[in-house]
């Protein structure tokens, strides 16, 4: 209450804080029932198909006289918003694979010949747009054979190629299992310690997720926000329980990683650290706590991967 000029202003403030509890790391970790750590022949085939798509080349199709639903083409595309008369798009030499194009676009261009121009109206981005599309050239995909893929990637034989793919899939499965076990550990710790989630923290995480993925569905948003909020709560409590501190060497190493990741000079990194010291040290401590949990996860990995 502020009564007159010169008096102190008295007020009360209520705010949510992270729940502080001593957490127990003595929790069980099991491999998910639907997770298969072994690499099957089907896994290898799928990986080869992915590589074939990645190394597919696009060339002029001299045999095709007009576009079909399975064609690809290079277009000049011009469009205006009908309501505002403003230019919506004006692009030259746009490559479009009709197998994955919008239905309205596909209907408009199928049957076109090189040099032909067509016009049409489509409802795009919450408004009717008038399009003028010119076909510049017809393209086709050349998918490499398995033998060509082996040569392109520099392997001496198919056997060596298959073995490398198997190793790659194994590493990916290990990384996937590690991530699953890490967040399973977070949930198990939070349940055993009965950690509540402050509503403001949940909302903060939800906003961060929406910034990166505005179209995420509500159920997935709630699950992801809950997961990230619980991770913060567990990690901050772990920092307190283990009395984690940062050495000067650890700070230097973290700054070096930032320098490498963002291609910053030593001077730029030091300037960043001085301006955001508290924020960066906080993130470094979270990383250190995360690594402590990862040690628990990794100790279970060899055992679980063989089951």
């Amino acid at each position: 209450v502020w009564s007159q000029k010169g008096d102190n202003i008295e007020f009360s403030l209520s705010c949510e804080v992270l729940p502080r509890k001593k957490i127990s790391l003595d929790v069980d970790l099991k491999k998910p029932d639907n997770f298969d750590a072994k690499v099957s022949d089907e896994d290898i085939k799928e990986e080869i198909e992915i590589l074939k798509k990645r190394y597919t080349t696009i060339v002029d199709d001299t045999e095709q006289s007009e576009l079909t639903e399975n064609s690809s083409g290079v277009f000049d595309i011009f469009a205006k918003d009908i309501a505002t008369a403003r230019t919506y798009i004006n692009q030259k030499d746009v490559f479009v694979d009709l197998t994955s194009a919008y239905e309205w676009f596909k209907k408009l261009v199928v049957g076109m010949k090189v040099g032909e121009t067509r016009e049409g109206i489509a409802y795009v981005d919450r408004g009717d747009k008038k399009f003028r599309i010119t076909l510049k050239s017809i393209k086709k995909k050349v998918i490499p054979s398995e033998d060509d893929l082996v040569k392109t990637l520099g392997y001496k034989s198919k056997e060596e190629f298959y073995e490398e793919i198997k190793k790659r899939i194994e590493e990916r499965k290990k990384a996937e299992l590690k991530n699953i076990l890490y967040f399973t550990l977070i949930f198990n710790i939070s349940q055993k310690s009965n950690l509540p989630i402050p509503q403001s923290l949940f909302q903060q995480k939800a906003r961060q997720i929406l910034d990166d993925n505005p179209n995420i569905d509500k159920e997935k948003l709630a699950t992801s926000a809950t997961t990230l909020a619980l991770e913060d709560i567990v990690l901050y409590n772990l920092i307190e329980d283990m009395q984690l501190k940062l050495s000067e060497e650890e700070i230097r190493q973290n700054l070096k990683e930032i320098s490498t990741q963002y291609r910053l000079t030593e001077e730029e990194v030091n300037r960043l650290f001085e301006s955001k010291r508290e924020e960066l040290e906080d993130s470094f401590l979270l990383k250190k706590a995360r690594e402590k949990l990862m040690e628990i996860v990794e100790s279970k990995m060899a055992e679980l991967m063989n089951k």
Side-chain angles (χ1 to χ4, degrees):
V1 178
W2 185 13
S3 58
Q4 64 183 40
K5 187 175 181 179
D7 285 350
N8 292 331
I9 302 173
E10 298 180 3
F11 63 92
S12 62
L13 174 68
S14 298
C15 61
E16 287 188 306
V17 296
L18 288 176
R20 178 69 183 104
K21 290 188 178 183
K22 186 171 180 60
I23 61 175
S24 172
L25 298 179
D26 184 21
V27 294
D28 193 24
L29 276 181
K30 295 180 180 179
K31 184 172 67 176
D33 294 334
N34 60 348
F35 184 86
D36 187 3
K38 295 179 180 178
V39 179
S40 66
D41 291 341
E42 191 60 34
D43 290 331
I44 293 175
K45 287 180 181 177
E46 288 179 5
E47 187 72 14
I48 290 173
E49 289 305 311
I50 291 171
L51 286 171
K52 283 183 176 180
K53 289 180 181 178
R54 187 180 302 167
Y55 286 92
T56 293
T57 55
I58 307 296
V59 299
D60 287 328
D61 190 340
T62 56
E63 298 175 357
Q64 212 168 346
S65 60
E66 62 181 40
L67 285 175
T68 68
E69 291 188 350
N70 298 316
S71 302
S72 298
V74 174
F75 303 86
D76 286 347
I77 303 175
F78 178 82
K80 275 191 173 184
D81 187 290
I82 293 178
T84 64
R86 292 179 180 173
T87 298
Y88 172 70
I89 186 172
N90 186 13
Q91 293 183 349
K92 305 286 186 181
D93 300 320
V94 181
F95 174 80
V96 180
D97 181 355
L98 294 189
T99 59
S100 57
Y102 291 112
E103 283 301 316
W104 66 265
F105 187 90
K106 191 182 299 185
K107 289 179 181 178
L108 181 61
V109 302
V110 164
M112 287 182 73
K113 296 181 179 180
V114 175
E116 182 180 350
T117 298
R118 289 186 181 179
E119 294 186 350
I121 295 174
Y123 185 82
V124 183
D125 287 347
R126 293 175 289 183
D128 286 327
K129 310 292 188 297
K130 185 175 182 180
F131 283 83
R132 184 174 73 245
I133 299 172
T134 301
L135 176 61
K136 303 287 287 294
S137 61
I138 299 175
K139 302 288 187 180
K140 67 178 179 180
K141 296 178 180 178
V142 178
I143 301 173
S145 66
E146 204 166 293
D147 289 333
D148 289 337
L149 201 56
V150 171
K151 291 177 183 177
T152 299
L153 296 175
Y155 294 102
K156 296 176 182 177
S157 65
K158 281 188 179 182
E159 289 72 25
E160 184 185 4
F161 177 52
Y162 293 154
E163 188 61 31
E164 182 60 32
I165 287 177
K166 184 178 179 181
K167 288 179 183 178
R168 189 184 305 176
I169 297 172
E170 285 175 342
E171 289 303 314
R172 189 165 65 233
K173 283 179 176 281
K174 284 180 184 178
E176 183 182 350
L177 179 59
K178 187 175 180 180
N179 189 59
I180 292 171
L181 290 177
Y182 171 76
F183 284 105
T184 300
L185 181 62
I186 292 290
F187 274 109
N188 290 351
I189 289 171
S190 64
Q191 286 183 342
K192 188 166 185 176
S193 303
N194 193 26
L195 295 172
I197 301 176
Q199 186 62 24
S200 56
L201 179 60
F202 174 85
Q203 292 171 349
Q204 174 194 340
K205 297 301 180 183
R207 285 194 296 269
Q208 290 173 356
I209 295 166
L210 283 170
D211 286 342
D212 293 332
N213 186 4
N215 298 319
I216 189 172
D217 65 73
K218 290 183 179 179
E219 185 176 346
K220 190 172 182 181
L221 173 63
T223 300
S224 299
T226 299
T227 300
L228 294 178
L230 284 175
E231 182 187 22
D232 267 13
I233 295 168
V234 169
L235 291 178
Y236 278 114
N237 276 286
L238 187 62
I239 290 169
E240 291 288 333
D241 290 349
M242 300 184 75
Q243 295 185 339
L244 297 180
K245 305 292 182 184
L246 292 168
S247 67
E248 290 299 319
E249 177 57 32
E250 286 173 325
I251 292 175
R252 279 196 297 270
Q253 186 58 39
N254 278 288
L255 291 176
K256 185 177 179 181
E257 291 175 8
I258 291 176
S259 174
T260 302
Q261 182 179 354
Y262 295 101
R263 298 180 180 179
L264 300 176
T265 65
E266 183 178 348
E267 183 182 347
E268 288 172 329
V269 169
N270 290 336
R271 199 159 53 237
L272 175 68
F273 184 58
E274 288 305 315
S275 63
K276 296 188 175 182
R277 186 184 188 96
E278 186 176 344
E279 181 182 338
L280 286 174
E281 286 187 347
D282 190 53
S283 70
F284 297 162
L285 273 174
L286 286 173
K287 178 185 173 186
K288 190 170 183 176
R290 194 175 291 112
E291 288 169 352
K292 295 292 183 183
L293 293 185
M294 281 299 184
E295 289 174 7
I296 298 174
V297 170
E298 287 169 354
S299 68
K300 292 279 186 180
M301 286 290 292
E303 173 190 345
L304 295 175
M305 286 293 289
N306 293 324
K307 287 186 177 180

